[in-house]
């Protein structure tokens, strides 16, 4: 029996899923797998685990997977609170941390965490139920988990250890799961929860905000706040830096005056839906008609956004990328309370679930985290920039970049829906209806848009030899699968296919190469295969601690404070200048001399990690030395995690994280360069020879096997002055030119 507080119980009863508890639980009882669809905010994530718990499914663990770390953490806290149970019973596990105990009954985790657990115990014997949440997001690991669980559940039932699977989606678009014979031969039942959704009036801009959509979001938010009756505002932007920048501007526009009576006591005026609230007695006006309103002072001139590349981190298998910055979820959503009369504004960060204090209005600025995974109460106005930040890969060249693109119609409608949860609302789209009608209807499943080498390796490790036959909800293209298999063969993770035979056989063989012992070792590391290969070879010359540090640094994005970023308005230009000069000087220092120099950018990273750890990895050290504190913390965590993984795979190495790591010796540097080459062998570039200099623009360029155009070493690279004949690089990104990032010199006679 669960002993809930009266107020919690009362709030629960208002949730649409509560009305369907019996239908849901009966479907679960009668079927091994059930699909549950319900609007965001209907109570799926917080209530379904409780239903299962109360219906006696807590003999094993009730597992819930989330595509985002933020959601796993915050939902576990919420459910623990609702059930009045300690966090040792309702727990969470994300990549680096968790509070799971032997007594855990409900466990929220990222999908990547459950995937790793399947590798240890294919039947997931400790679980009685697995809930796949946010399945509509179609994240890669969610898709793979559904494929795996479609096999695990029948196996468990056959062995008289029954297990249930619940797939939860915020949209009704679930045919890829239900109408997919290979996945579920007998289509699972779909339970729909009718959510009380209030009408949302959608207002399109007449003109689309093309460049300055953050500025436009700011103006719109201010207007809503000044003109419209009470109710929270939720603003959708694309990235962390934009979220911070808009909050900063709002705080500047409505400064917080602590001596005024803004004490934070709960909002006492209750607002009845339908009845205009008494709060600001301002006339309603047409928000789309800008010209009627004077432009705020200081509106133009924009805080340049820094590239927040850490939003989606590298492919790694521990977990899912994006948004849990490690320390505080509010990096991806931030709230401000705006005073409705007078001027007052206060950052509320993680307190968005609290009612806004009297006389203030809650305004939350978020990335698409708030689209479906978190419901912020009391939102009545949505401001939608219509964009989303995504990582794009070029299939042929492997060049990747973060791009802000238009979202889909389905996502835009989800965003609008956030305004109509508790009463009729309004959604202000910062783009025209013509632009909207050009949006794609739905977002593509992530698996079709990214390389799959890491997934193929994980599957092979699960003894799924013919990956093409795996029951993907949406299969990746056969070219992507073939490219992955080829890369893994070249890394030595998979056996070479037999050379003889007709071409067609060879092609088929390529897609079912068995895993090698090296491949198994690589699969145990929570990084993508190239880096796993480096770790697997890191034992020579006592290099392992260096390899771990370098791999950790290479897989965390943007460790340096970007030198090219213009100085933001509210920054002290002189200070920024000093910091940059210091970073440039540090980079030269960290690059070392002689042999070390040839390790190039990776030596700089190694030096930065070493220096930062030596200083205790403090925000102050990072700030003063041009390092991004968040990135350095992530590297620290990853070093710990990789060190544990290495010790688990090869116990005789006995590595530990050394906070006072001495610089590598020349022999070790040589060894490190070879180890790096072993993982990046297909990212080889050769300096353009004088006889190949067809175009003066090719001077100092490098040729790669994949690109027609030359690529270059960036002026900020440690090897910019050296220009070695052969280099390997981590990736090519296109800015003003095609630049290689993470460059390391290699010797001609090492190249296979
Ligand atoms: P769904 O998963 O269907 O989108 P949820 O179970 O996440 O719905 O949310 C149900 C309700 O619980 C929402 O009204 C939401 O605002 C509320 N809620 C979620 N987390 C918290 C929290 N930490 N504090 C207060 N209310 C919360
Ligand atoms: Mg949910």
């Amino acid at each position: 029996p669960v002993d809930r507080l009266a107020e919690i119980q009362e709030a629960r009863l208002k949730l649409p899923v509560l009305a369907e508890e019996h239908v849901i639980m009966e479907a679960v009882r009668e079927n091994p797998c059930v699909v549950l669809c319900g609007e965001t905010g209907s109570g799926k994530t917080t209530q379904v685990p409780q239903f299962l718990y109360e219906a006696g499914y807590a003999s094993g663990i009730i597992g819930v997977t989330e595509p985002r770390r933020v959601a796993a953490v915050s939902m576990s806290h919420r459910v623990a609170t609702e059930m009045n149970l300690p966090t040792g019973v309702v727990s969470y596990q994300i990549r680096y941390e968790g509070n799971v105990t032997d007594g855990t009954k409900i466990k929220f985790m990222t999908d990547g965490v459950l995937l790793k657990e399947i590798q240890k115990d294919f039947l997931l014997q400790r679980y009685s139920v697995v809930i796949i949440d946010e399945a509509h997001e179609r994240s890669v690991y969610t898709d793979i988990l559904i494929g795996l669980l479609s096999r695990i559940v029948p196996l468990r039932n056959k062995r008289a250890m029954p297990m249930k699977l619940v797939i939860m989606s915020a949209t009704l678009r679930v045919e890829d799961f239900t109408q997919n014979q290979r996945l579920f031969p007998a289509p699972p039942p779909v339970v729909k929860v009718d959510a009380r959704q209030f009408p949302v009036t959608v207002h399109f801009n007449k003109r689309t905000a093309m460049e300055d959509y953050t500025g436009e979001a700011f103006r719109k938010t201010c207007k809503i706040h000044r003109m419209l009756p009470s109710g929270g505002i939720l603003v959708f932007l694309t990235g962390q830096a934009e979220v911070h920048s808009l909050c900063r501007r709002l705080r500047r526009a409505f400064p917080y005056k602590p001596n005024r009576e803004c004490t934070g006591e709960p909002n006492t005026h209750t607002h009845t839906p339908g009845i205009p609230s008494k709060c600001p007695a301002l006339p309603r006006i047409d928000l789309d008609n800008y010209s009627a309103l004077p432009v705020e002072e200081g509106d133009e001139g924009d805080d340049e956004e820094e590239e927040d590349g850490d939003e989606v981190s590298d492919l790694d298998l521990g977990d899912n990328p994006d948004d849990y910055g490690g320390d505080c979820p509010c990096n991806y959503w931030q709230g401000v309370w705006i005073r409705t009369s007078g001027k007052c504004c206060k950052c509320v960060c993680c307190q968005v679930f609290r009612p806004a204090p009297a006389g203030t209005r809650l305004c939350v600025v978020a990335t698409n985290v708030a689209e479906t995974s978190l419901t912020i109460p009391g939102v009545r106005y949505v401001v939608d920039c219509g964009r989303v930040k995504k990582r794009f890969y070029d299939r042929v060249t492997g060049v990747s970049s973060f791009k802000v693109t238009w979202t889909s119609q389905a996502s835009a409608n989800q965003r609008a829906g956030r305004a109509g949860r508790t009463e009729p609302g309004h959604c202000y789209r910062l783009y025209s209806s013509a632009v909207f009608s050009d949006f794609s209807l739905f977002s593509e499943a992530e698996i079709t848009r990214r390389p799959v080498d890491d997934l193929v390796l994980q599957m092979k490790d699960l003894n799924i030899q013919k990956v093409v036959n795996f029951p993907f909800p949406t299969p990746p293209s056969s070219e992507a699968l073939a490219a992955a298999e080829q890369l893994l063969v070249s890394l030595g993770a998979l056996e070479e296919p037999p050379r003889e035979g007709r071409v067609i056989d060879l092609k088929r063989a390529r897609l079912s190469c068995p895993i090698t012992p090296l491949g198994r070792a690589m699969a145990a590391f929570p990084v993508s295969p190239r880096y796993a290969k480096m770790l697997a070879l890191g034992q020579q010359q006592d290099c392992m601690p260096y390899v771990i540090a370098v791999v950790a640094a290479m897989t965390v994005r943007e460790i340096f404070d970007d030198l090219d970023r213009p100085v933001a308005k509210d920054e002290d230009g002189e200070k920024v200048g000093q910091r940059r000069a210091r970073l440039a000087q540090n980079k030269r220092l960290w690059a070392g001399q002689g042999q070390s120099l040839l390790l190039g950018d990776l030596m700089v990273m190694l030096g930065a990690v070493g220096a930062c750890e030596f200083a205790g990895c403090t925000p102050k050290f990072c700030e003063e030395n041009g390092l991004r504190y968040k990135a350095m913390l992530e590297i620290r965590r990853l070093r710990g995690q990789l060190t544990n993984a290495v010790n688990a795979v090869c116990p005789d190495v006995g590595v530990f994280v050394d906070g006072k790591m001495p610089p590598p010796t020349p022999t070790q540097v040589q060894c490190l360069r070879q180890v790096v080459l072993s993982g990046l062998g297909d990212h080889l570039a050769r300096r353009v020879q004088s006889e190949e200099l067809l175009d003066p623009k090719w001077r100092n360029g490098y040729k790669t096997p994949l690109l027609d155009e030359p690529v270059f070493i960036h002026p900020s690279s440690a090897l910019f002055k050296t220009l070695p004949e052969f280099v390997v690089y981590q990736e090519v990104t296109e800015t003003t030119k095609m630049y290689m990032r993470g460059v390391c010199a290699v010797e001609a006679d090492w190249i296979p």
Side-chain angles (χ1 to χ4, degrees), residues 247-268:
C247 281
R248 213 160 47 214
R249 288 178 78 174
L250 287 169
R251 250 175 260 135
R252 230 180 297 153
F254 304 97
Y256 177 51
K257 298 268 163 53
N259 1 353
R260 305 240 193 132
E261 85 295 3
C262 174
T263 48
E265 82 273 12
N267 197 348
T268 41

Side-chain angles (χ1 to χ4, degrees), residues 9 21 46 57 88-89 113 244 283 298 329 346 349 368 427 470 472 504 530 574 579 599 617 666 680 689 735 749:
Q9 189 56 18
E21 177 168 1
T46 51
Y57 285 93
V89 179
V113 165
H244 285 307
K346 193 179 175 188
C349 287
N368 53 353
C427 172
F470 184 79
F472 294 102
I504 184 132
R530 298 175 184 290
E574 198 175 320
R579 207 160 64 219
L599 191 54
C617 195
L680 295 175
Q689 308 291 297
T735 51
D749 54 346

Side-chain angles (χ1 to χ4, degrees), residues 47 104 127 170 179 313 326-327 385 399 419 422 432 434 440 445 460 494 523 533 535 540 561 638 676 700 722 731:
Q47 306 308 316
T104 294
Y127 292 85
Q179 309 297 313
S313 71
D327 6 85
C385 76
V399 177
T422 38
S432 70
S440 62
K460 298 268 178 175
L494 303 182
K533 170 78 182 271
L535 292 171
Q540 304 150 56
D561 238 356
L638 198 51
V676 167
N700 297 339
T722 325
E731 60 174 1

Side-chain angles (χ1 to χ4, degrees), residues 15 39-46 75 78 353 372 375 377 421:
L15 294 172
E39 261 292 337
T40 303
S42 56
K44 299 181 300 299
T45 312
T46 51
M75 290 302 158
R78 177 63 187 168
F353 292 109
T372 60
T375 309
R421 271 267 307 136

Side-chain angles (χ1 to χ4, degrees), residues 416-531:
R418 301 304 107 245
R421 271 267 307 136
T422 38
E423 58 187 303
H426 295 267
C427 172
Y428 296 90
R429 291 182 170 159
L430 306 180
Y431 44 93
S432 70
S433 55
V435 165
F436 175 78
S437 61
D438 286 344
F439 286 6
S440 62
L441 291 181
F442 299 96
S443 319
E444 280 173 88
E446 191 193 357
I447 201 163
T448 61
R449 341 177 359 255
R450 87 202 240 319
V452 290
D453 43 301
D454 55 343
L455 296 173
V456 170
L457 180 62
Q458 297 303 322
M459 288 185 195
K460 298 268 178 175
D461 191 43
L462 288 165
N463 298 318
I464 301 166
Q465 196 139 315
K466 277 199 187 273
V467 174
V468 261
N469 292 346
F470 184 79
F472 294 102
T474 306
S477 73
S478 53
E479 297 89 68
L481 285 174
E485 197 113 355
Q486 189 153 1
L487 173 66
L488 292 171
V489 168
S490 77
L491 290 171
L494 303 182
E495 278 174 26
E496 287 261 356
R499 284 273 162 218
E500 63 274 68
R502 286 169 298 143
V503 180
I504 184 132
D505 285 345
L506 193 69
K507 209 175 163 197
R508 212 175 276 158
R510 276 219 177 279
L511 288 170
S512 60
C513 302
I515 192 166
T516 60
L518 174 63
R520 294 228 184 259
M522 286 165 58
F525 298 123
V527 286
S528 67
R530 298 175 184 290
Y531 301 107

